[in-house]
Structure formats: C-alpha cells, structure tokens
Amino acid sequence: MSEPNDPPEPVTATRPSPLTTTTTTTTTITATAAPPRPIRILLADDHALVRLGVRLILDREPDLEVVAEAGDGAEAVDAARHADVDLAILDIAMPRLTGLQATRELAALKPGLRILMLTMHDNEQYLFQALKSGACGYVLKSVADRDLVAACRAAMRDEPFLYPGAVTALIRNYLDRVRHGEEDAGQLLTPREEEVLKLVAEGHSSKEIAEILFISVKTVHRHRANLLHKLGLRDRLELTRYAIRAGLIEP
C-alpha cells in the first residue's frame, strides 16, 4: 500500500509498432504497333539510268519501296507473277510488250494491282489508251520528281492521277470525239493482232514475226490482212502510222 506522500509511479507509454508498408511497383509495358508495310512497287523502263533515277525518288520515302525492276513489258508481267507487289510503274514505249500492252496483261493477271504510266509523252492519245488499258494514273517524266510520289499514294487510295494542266484539254478532246461519233478502232483488234501490228510497225519481216510469236508465216499474213481490213488501211506504212497514234511504238 502506498504511502500518501509517495510519488506516483511513472507511467510508461507504449507506442504502437510502426507499420511496415510494402510498395508494389507495377510496370506497364505498352505494345508498340508495327509500322505499316511500305507500298511495294514494280518499276519497268527499258533504260537502266531512268530506273535508277526513279528509284532514287521513291526510295527516299518511308512508305514506298521498289521491290522489283524490269527492262521491258514482258519482263514486267513475269515479275508481277513472282513478286508480291501493290503498284506497277510502267514506261509506255518499251520493247517486246509496250507499257500499254503490259498494263492490259497485268490488269487481267492481278486485278487488284494499281498501275501508273510514267512517260515522256505529253500526248492525249497515249493518255486515253493508258486509261482504257487499266492504268489509274499518268505521270510525265519531266516532272517525276514533283508528281510521282503523290501519284503513287493517290493510286493506293484508288484515286486517279493526271498531270496538272492536261485534264481540261483531254476531256474536251474526248468529248469532241464522242460527239462526232468517231469509232475507237482499238476495240476492234484482238491482243494477237495488236502484237502483230506492233512488230510490223517495228520493221520485222513476216518470218521474224512468226518466230517471235511462235506462229506460222501463213498466220502472220492472215493477221496482217485482218489488220488492214479492220482499220481501213492500205499498206505497211499506214499500219506504222496507226501504231504510232495508238501508242504501240514511239514516233
């Protein structure tokens, strides 16, 4: 028993134990979407230096990639069979198959393939033939550094591309021809007749044409007679002039 005068016993305060806090760090990994695949391009021109120049224009764009090249229309068609390409850029005047003939074959071979014509010819006849053959654009080589990249991207958006300044004149010319009821002789010719016409206009003999196309000389003569009759022409010279107008050979 404590005496009244004894001092009170000290009270020891008990502090609660400090809480141990565990911090969990959550690392969020954000998946980075893979960049879209570049537009894969087939480039065809019978001049290696032209191909090199065009390739330099295209390869500096991250969304464009030249994956195949060809030196003529026949090589272009063969390359398209074996390469995964989205867009073909074709010169018009090439040996074996012209760009126009190759365009028709490519359009049949790969309906989803976009095709641009790249040419030195500021010529409405070539333009109309190109569009009828299945091309979705027409670019002049003289302004390729300005227009070609835009034309490639337009083609992949399913938009036509025509070089500036030509549209009004070409449409007016076309409408004039329609109003005058001019017949489109190009629709009358079969693909084989076009091949024969091109070779005749290039100066090949009947024997040479037969060897190139693996047909008989007699068949060549028959095709030539059909050409003269269908086109209302008289001789080889007039066939050559027609081939130039139709874009099968260079003037």
Side-chain angles (χ1 to χ4, degrees):
M1 183 173 178
S2 299
E3 295 297 328
N5 295 326
D6 289 342
E9 295 180 359
V11 177
T12 303
T14 303
R15 295 182 180 182
S17 301
L19 295 177
T20 302
T21 304
T22 301
T23 302
T24 302
T25 302
T26 303
T27 302
T28 302
I29 301 175
T30 303
T32 303
R37 190 187 79 165
I39 299 168
R40 296 165 62 86
I41 297 171
L42 163 63
L43 175 60
D45 193 291
D46 57 327
H47 295 97
L49 285 177
V50 172
R51 294 200 306 273
L52 176 61
V54 173
R55 186 163 194 151
L56 289 174
I57 293 172
L58 299 174
D59 281 350
R60 63 191 184 204
E61 303 296 326
D63 59 330
L64 304 176
E65 180 184 10
V66 177
V67 298
E69 293 188 21
D72 60 51
E75 284 185 12
V77 173
D78 187 60
R81 286 195 178 98
H82 300 97
D84 180 16
V85 293
D86 308 304
L87 172 68
I89 300 175
L90 310 177
D91 184 22
I92 284 185
M94 292 189 290
R96 297 175 67 192
L97 285 181
T98 68
L100 298 175
Q101 291 172 310
T103 295
R104 283 191 284 273
E105 293 203 17
L106 289 172
L109 178 68
K110 289 191 170 183
L113 180 67
R114 274 69 166 190
I115 303 170
L116 288 176
M117 308 308 300
L118 180 62
T119 177
M120 62 181 288
H121 299 291
D122 184 355
N123 180 297
E124 66 270 19
Q125 184 69 29
Y126 283 137
L127 171 61
F128 287 128
Q129 290 291 331
L131 297 179
K132 289 174 185 175
S133 297
C136 59
Y138 193 95
V139 181
L140 295 178
K141 288 180 179 178
S142 59
V143 290
D145 58 337
R146 183 192 71 193
D147 289 349
L148 185 57
V149 169
C152 291
R153 291 169 180 158
M156 296 310 297
R157 295 193 301 266
D158 282 332
E159 297 174 4
F161 186 95
L162 303 178
Y163 58 94
V167 179
T168 301
L170 296 180
I171 292 177
R172 183 172 58 246
N173 177 274
Y174 178 73
L175 293 176
D176 285 345
R177 290 165 57 197
V178 170
R179 279 195 296 267
H180 287 86
E182 293 183 13
E183 185 177 30
D184 183 6
Q187 298 296 322
L188 300 175
L189 303 184
T190 67
R192 176 63 85 189
E193 286 170 344
E194 275 200 350
E195 290 177 328
V196 172
L197 173 58
K198 179 178 185 297
L199 293 170
V200 167
E202 288 176 346
H204 293 283
S205 67
S206 295
K207 182 179 179 182
E208 290 170 340
I209 295 172
E211 291 172 351
I212 292 169
L213 299 180
F214 301 102
I215 57 179
S216 69
V217 173
K218 184 177 179 181
T219 301
V220 174
H221 289 161
R222 186 175 72 250
H223 284 311
R224 183 171 169 175
N226 288 342
L227 286 167
L228 293 171
H229 176 72
K230 285 184 176 182
L231 300 176
L233 304 177
R234 295 173 297 176
D235 53 30
R236 185 190 198 104
L237 178 59
E238 291 190 352
L239 284 174
T240 301
R241 288 172 178 164
Y242 176 82
I244 293 171
R245 292 196 305 272
L248 294 174
I249 64 170
E250 291 189 58

